[in-house]
Amino acid sequence: MKRLLAVATACWILCPLPAAAGQAGRGHGLVDRLMDATSYRLKVLGYGTRTEAADAPGNPDNRILDIKGNAAEIDLRPDFSLDLNRLHLSLQPRVDTRWEAWTTGIKDGSSQTDTDAYIYQWLARWRATDSLFVSYGRENLQWGPAYLTSFSNPFFMDNGKENPKTEVATTDFARAVWVPDLTWSASLIANTDAGRQSIPGREFSRRYAIKIDYTGSQDYASLILGGGEAGGRTVGGFYGRTLSDALLAYAEGAFLQHPFCRYAEPADNPLGFAMTAGENPGDAWQGSFLIGGSYTLAAGPTLTAEYLYYGPGYDDAEAERYFDLQERAAQAVDAGGELGALGTGELFAAADPGLRFLRRHYLMLQFVQTDMEADFDLTLRWTRNLDDGSSRLTTIGEWHGGDHVRLFGIATVNRGDRRSEFRRIFDYQFMAGMEYDF
Amino acid sequence: MKRILLVFTLLCLAAGAVSAAAAGGAAVDVKAIIARADRARGNIDGILWTTDIRSTENGRHQRREIRIKNRGVNTLAVFLAPAKVRDQMLLMLDRNMWFIKPGLRKPVPISARQKLMGGAANGDIASTNYAGDYRAVLKGEEAVAGEMCYLLDLTAVNTKATYDRIRYWISESRSLGMKAEFYTVSGKLLKTARFKYENRVKTDGAAHAFMSQMTITDAVIKGNVTVMTYRDIQPRAIPDSTFNLNLLVH
């Protein structure tokens, strides 16, 4: 009976296989039809990176973060997919080979070569009915209209916009998507495993979300309710509107609990401070929002501006304590012994306080022009921390050498004083490389 | 004398009738004509086609091959070639538009005005809804490629339209858009498009003409030309889920 059920299920999935475009004249055997239902692409990416670690209190002489001064990497990125009658399967294995060399810090003068083979993304999606889809897989699940961040997304802090050549770490999801009509849809999302999102010192706990989407004739909106086994409930959403053929406006916001955020609080230890989770984190709801808009000039460029307020970020006093702690911890590291160990521990804790942004008020301006003369695309993005005055300028240039080759360069330059957000980690980073699509 | 008066009266009546027919304003249902022209440019409830785009811009040659899934004013465009843009997508839900790049995953909201390639804007690859987006005034008649056309002056009725003003020539006999001039608010001519209809599709039990080529010429640099060729036209039911962002991003 079980075997009969399995055969019947397989027939339901496989038959009829889709009649893919451009298959006229091909055979009608199972292999031919499977080949028609299969697609793939292959990208090879090679690049070099030069990074200048910042002389920051949180990373004295690059001894805490061990930032690599020079690196070179070749990535093989094949993507496969198979579309059967009701089943969609995709698989994205990766092979990354990298050489890394340290020019400062504990590993100063050393280098290493490493190869990492892994499954970046995979997905099995079942079309139960024309309007109901269920899936499981390892995904980079992104949404929201903004460039800086998506506050309503409880699963990803990184939206991949900072460096379009590096892939955002994926995590495992079970999803059900119901699409009753063109206007409305609803998703149930369960984050079941950390996947490639590993955060040192932090245990994974399952998280869930309900996402309800609306799309009108010239606007769209989503409401996202999130929660998890370890708390951290969120109520978020975004709204976008097409104001004209050239002008777009959008907003995004969320109220969230932040049990994972850490603050430098007075402590009874030789440093006088310790990184600790906020008091009563289960009750601490914080609001964050972003507003933005973009305008496309008749000449071609698109200009974008975003302002964001991040509730959990440090205020002036909290930032003072944070940098004070780092400076005292750095001195303790120099002293060595038990005090040094305490200092090292606090510096590691301070390196990732669990915040999307360190402070509260930010402004971003962006210029994008694609398909310029000489096959060149250019993105200039300037982000300013309005609280401490530090800023980051990111320049992304791409040159298209025919149908397959792209040369690219990404320059990120941070400005600010030693006790500012954007100079916490590195002063500048230059990345240059080539990608080839087969 | 009576005979002269009778002849004069008849002449006046005949002249009036000819004049009214020439003006055509009362007799011609402009909106219906534009709606029929929209249908031949893809505004159909469920249709797939492939567009080959070839552009020459300041001596630079580019190409794109795009598979279009269209339902009314909703369009999903999947880039097939060249390799560097394969599987990129443009999703247009009425006037909302997103660009999806494989690898980045996050859909980016974009505007219809943003350049696609050469002289083509993002809005140019979608079906047209001129009947809904523009107010039309019949300005007269002119021949285009030897075919008598209504000359219509279209003004955007809302800010959603891709162009502020369009001069549109629609064939009187076939109700097909033959030529269009696209203008800015200030009245500056941006580009001119000419259309061919050598494809046939069958919808609602009847066969009708469907666009086979759109040639866009820059108003300033006449050598900057973008040619969009339409093929593999397939009327087909397209489910709502085809246009859902949650399912496209995977």
Side-chain angles (χ1 to χ4, degrees):
Chain A
M1 182 63 192
K2 276 183 180 174
R3 185 175 296 174
L4 192 66
L5 200 65
V7 170
T9 305
C11 287
W12 190 45
I13 295 169
L14 294 169
C15 302
L17 285 169
Q23 68 174 4
R26 298 186 67 158
H28 294 286
L30 182 62
V31 173
D32 286 333
R33 296 167 76 185
L34 279 172
M35 290 296 286
D36 286 337
T38 304
S39 65
Y40 68 93
R41 60 173 181 265
L42 171 63
K43 183 190 291 291
V44 178
L45 191 72
Y47 57 89
T49 309
R50 165 73 189 149
T51 307
E52 182 68 29
D55 176 24
N59 186 28
D61 302 321
N62 193 26
R63 280 177 291 168
I64 301 299
L65 300 179
D66 263 338
I67 294 170
K68 300 167 281 285
N70 299 307
E73 185 160 332
I74 295 175
D75 300 345
L76 300 179
R77 297 179 180 177
D79 298 344
F80 303 97
S81 68
L82 176 66
D83 280 294
L84 303 175
N85 183 34
R86 290 179 174 274
L87 188 65
H88 167 86
L89 300 170
S90 66
L91 182 68
Q92 300 180 359
R94 299 288 183 259
V95 180
D96 302 343
T97 301
R98 65 180 69 89
W99 168 83
E100 300 165 323
W102 283 261
T103 53
T104 54
I106 296 167
K107 296 180 182 174
D108 186 8
S110 64
S111 65
Q112 69 179 36
T113 303
D114 184 28
T115 296
D116 191 11
Y118 58 96
I119 302 297
Y120 173 62
Q121 291 196 107
W122 66 271
L123 184 74
R125 187 167 64 209
W126 172 264
R127 177 166 59 87
T129 70
D130 276 352
S131 59
L132 181 63
F133 297 76
V134 290
S135 66
Y136 190 81
R138 182 162 293 180
E139 296 184 84
N140 174 16
L141 199 56
Q142 301 283 352
W143 61 67
Y147 284 89
L148 274 172
T149 193
S150 178
F151 284 129
S152 67
N153 189 333
F155 305 113
F156 289 87
M157 285 194 184
D158 182 1
N159 65 9
K161 289 293 177 190
E162 191 61 36
N163 186 334
K165 300 302 174 188
T166 56
E167 294 185 314
V168 173
T170 47
T171 182
D172 293 1
F173 292 102
R175 285 202 286 157
V177 180
W178 180 48
V179 188
D181 56 38
L182 274 173
T183 305
W184 295 96
S185 67
S187 304
L188 297 176
I189 307 166
N191 182 199
T192 57
D193 191 88
R196 293 190 59 79
Q197 270 191 4
S198 61
I199 300 174
R202 190 175 299 169
E203 279 189 20
F204 174 79
S205 64
R206 287 193 178 91
R207 285 169 290 173
Y208 308 95
I210 298 171
K211 182 167 178 273
I212 298 165
D213 308 300
Y214 160 83
T215 308
S217 66
Q218 64 179 106
D219 59 357
Y220 57 89
S222 289
L223 173 71
I224 298 100
L225 308 175
E229 291 174 343
R233 285 176 291 171
T234 63
V235 179
F238 57 84
Y239 176 78
R241 188 168 182 85
T242 303
L243 294 170
S244 76
D245 70 304
L247 183 61
L248 310 176
Y250 49 84
E252 181 159 4
F255 285 95
L256 58 148
Q257 291 176 305
H258 53 99
F260 303 122
C261 299
R262 288 188 286 268
Y263 298 78
E265 299 291 349
D268 186 18
N269 67 24
L271 302 177
F273 296 107
M275 292 300 291
T276 53
E279 270 187 52
N280 301 318
D283 301 325
W285 284 86
Q286 298 273 5
S288 302
F289 68 91
L290 178 151
I291 54 171
S294 69
Y295 184 79
T296 302
L297 302 173
T302 297
L303 309 175
T304 304
E306 292 181 358
Y307 164 79
L308 80 75
Y309 171 78
Y310 181 51
Y314 297 164
D315 62 20
D316 287 344
E318 288 164 342
E320 284 296 310
R321 290 200 296 272
Y322 174 77
F323 287 110
D324 285 348
L325 176 146
Q326 288 190 325
E327 287 180 344
R328 293 183 191 184
Q331 290 168 1
V333 170
D334 288 337
E338 282 187 21
L339 188 60
L342 174 66
T344 301
E346 289 301 325
L347 285 176
F348 274 117
D352 179 16
L355 295 162
R356 287 179 187 240
F357 300 90
L358 198 66
R359 304 298 300 274
R360 295 187 173 174
H361 302 276
Y362 294 82
L363 176 69
M364 187 216 73
L365 302 174
Q366 180 177 271
F367 168 99
V368 176
Q369 184 158 16
T370 58
D371 201 34
M372 293 165 70
E373 293 288 329
D375 297 310
F376 196 69
D377 297 343
L378 179 65
T379 299
L380 296 171
R381 186 180 301 138
W382 179 73
T383 309
R384 184 174 177 84
N385 179 326
L386 300 175
D387 293 311
D388 66 19
S390 63
S391 63
R392 168 171 293 172
L393 176 65
T394 303
T395 306
I396 304 169
E398 281 191 293
W399 177 75
H400 301 257
D403 289 345
H404 298 271
V405 177
R406 252 180 293 208
L407 301 179
F408 62 86
I410 301 172
T412 304
V413 179
N414 294 319
R415 285 286 175 268
D417 65 34
R418 288 187 77 247
R419 291 165 61 99
S420 66
E421 175 176 14
F422 285 119
R423 286 203 56 222
R424 272 195 314 150
I425 298 175
F426 63 88
D427 286 339
Y428 64 80
Q429 185 177 69
F430 298 130
M431 181 178 181
M434 183 185 87
E435 58 184 296
Y436 190 95
D437 290 281
F438 289 86
Chain B
M1 183 62 190
K2 277 184 180 174
R3 186 174 294 173
I4 293 171
L5 205 62
L6 182 63
V7 170
F8 180 75
T9 306
L10 287 171
L11 281 173
C12 285
L13 286 171
V18 170
S19 171
V28 177
D29 184 349
V30 170
K31 201 171 177 89
I33 291 171
I34 299 173
R36 284 198 293 274
D38 282 341
R39 186 181 61 177
R41 291 181 63 188
N43 198 332
I44 293 172
D45 201 18
I47 191 162
L48 286 70
W49 73 80
T50 301
T51 304
D52 294 307
I53 309 178
R54 299 276 189 280
S55 80
T56 301
E57 192 178 30
N58 302 324
R60 185 165 58 113
H61 303 285
Q62 292 186 88
R63 71 180 181 96
R64 295 284 186 279
E65 184 183 341
I66 304 172
R67 186 65 174 163
I68 305 282
K69 295 180 180 179
N70 195 84
R71 209 176 89 184
V73 292
N74 304 301
T75 304
L76 174 66
V78 181
F79 290 70
L80 306 177
K84 67 181 179 184
V85 297
R86 190 186 305 152
D87 291 337
Q88 291 182 2
M89 286 185 267
L90 267 178
L91 176 65
M92 293 167 250
L93 298 180
D94 204 339
R95 291 300 159 188
N96 299 305
M97 205 172 277
W98 291 269
F99 177 65
I100 303 157
K101 198 172 181 179
L104 287 187
R105 299 300 158 139
K106 185 174 160 60
V108 178
I110 58 173
S111 66
R113 185 187 279 182
Q114 264 176 267
K115 188 177 176 182
L116 174 70
M117 191 188 75
N122 288 326
D124 289 328
I125 60 168
S127 62
T128 56
N129 185 30
Y130 290 172
D133 289 346
Y134 292 88
R135 183 176 58 249
V137 175
L138 180 61
K139 303 299 274 187
E141 294 172 303
E142 275 185 21
V144 175
E147 196 165 337
M148 211 54 197
C149 295
Y150 297 115
L151 171 55
L152 303 166
D153 196 75
L154 309 185
T155 309
V157 294
N158 53 49
T159 54
K160 301 183 295 180
T162 307
Y163 302 100
D164 300 303
R165 185 179 154 237
I166 301 172
R167 270 159 58 88
Y168 199 24
W169 286 260
I170 297 180
S171 163
E172 289 185 12
S173 58
R174 298 192 294 160
S175 293
L176 301 173
M178 303 297 291
K179 178 185 170 185
E181 290 177 349
F182 303 99
Y183 293 85
T184 64
V185 174
S186 61
K188 181 184 166 194
L189 178 63
L190 283 172
K191 54 192 177 187
T192 301
R194 287 179 179 270
F195 310 94
K196 290 182 181 174
Y197 300 86
E198 290 166 5
N199 290 314
R200 303 284 293 175
V201 292
K202 195 172 182 180
T203 57
D204 302 326
H208 61 85
F210 194 86
M211 188 153 63
S212 58
Q213 194 175 80
M214 176 177 176
T215 304
I216 301 170
T217 307
D218 188 270
V220 179
I221 306 170
K222 300 298 180 193
N224 287 356
V225 176
T226 299
V227 179
M228 301 168 70
T229 306
Y230 300 73
R231 60 180 168 84
D232 300 332
I233 323 288
Q234 297 171 336
R236 185 180 295 176
I238 300 175
D240 296 328
S241 56
T242 299
F243 304 105
N244 191 281
L245 268 182
N246 294 296
L247 299 169
L248 290 175
V249 182
H250 61 82

